[in-house]
Amino acid sequence: MYRYVLLLAFVLVAGCSNQTNTIQKNSSATIALEQYYFSGIVERINQLSTKLLADGYKVSAPVSYEHEGSTEYSIYSTKEIPKGQIVVEDQKAARYADEFDVGYDGNGFVPVDTENPVII
């Protein structure tokens, strides 16, 4: 009987340690963060684009479109980041928007690790 109790305890401990590894793995998973900026002045978008590229972001070419009777320009930036850095990156994006006097319309993201998708 004593052996069975020890065996059961061993199985439970082994199972719990695997769950801990999964949690640790998911908390350090990376995501592809996409951010959207816009402005009525293309030079501001171009300056921001240069800053984002220097900081390691991938940046789309500016797109122009008509919005409420005037031309507006927008870009998307993307960067792989640890899942836990979303808030930090969002704050950085807001600072960039202030610095370059452009609009920031938030972010979107997807898990990069397709074997262990992260639900956020």
Side-chain angles (χ1 to χ4, degrees):
M1 175 75 172
Y2 181 70
R3 280 190 244 172
Y4 294 117
V5 172
L6 284 177
L7 180 61
L8 179 61
F10 177 73
V11 169
L12 288 174
V13 168
C16 289
S17 67
N18 186 29
Q19 184 177 9
T20 301
N21 289 339
T22 302
I23 291 169
Q24 289 171 343
K25 196 183 286 185
N26 284 344
S27 67
S28 64
T30 59
I31 59 167
L33 181 71
E34 184 176 81
Q35 297 171 315
Y36 177 75
Y37 301 91
F38 59 94
S39 175
I41 302 171
V42 72
E43 290 81 11
R44 292 179 183 169
I45 289 293
N46 289 335
Q47 292 169 345
L48 172 59
S49 180
T50 300
K51 173 69 172 170
L52 290 167
L53 287 167
D55 286 349
Y57 294 83
K58 294 178 184 176
V59 182
S60 70
V63 175
S64 65
Y65 51 93
E66 292 300 312
H67 180 72
E68 297 180 1
S70 29
T71 303
E72 194 163 277
Y73 304 89
S74 66
I75 58 171
Y76 284 95
S77 67
T78 59
K79 186 176 187 180
E80 281 188 32
I81 63 166
K83 179 183 131 191
Q85 292 295 311
I86 295 171
V87 172
V88 172
E89 287 294 322
D90 218 24
Q91 291 169 344
K92 188 188 305 183
R95 284 193 309 272
Y96 285 155
D98 286 344
E99 180 180 342
F100 293 94
D101 197 21
V102 301
Y104 170 60
D105 196 23
N107 64 46
F109 43 85
V110 294
V112 173
D113 183 358
T114 56
E115 290 182 11
N116 299 302
V118 178
I119 299 172
I120 302 172

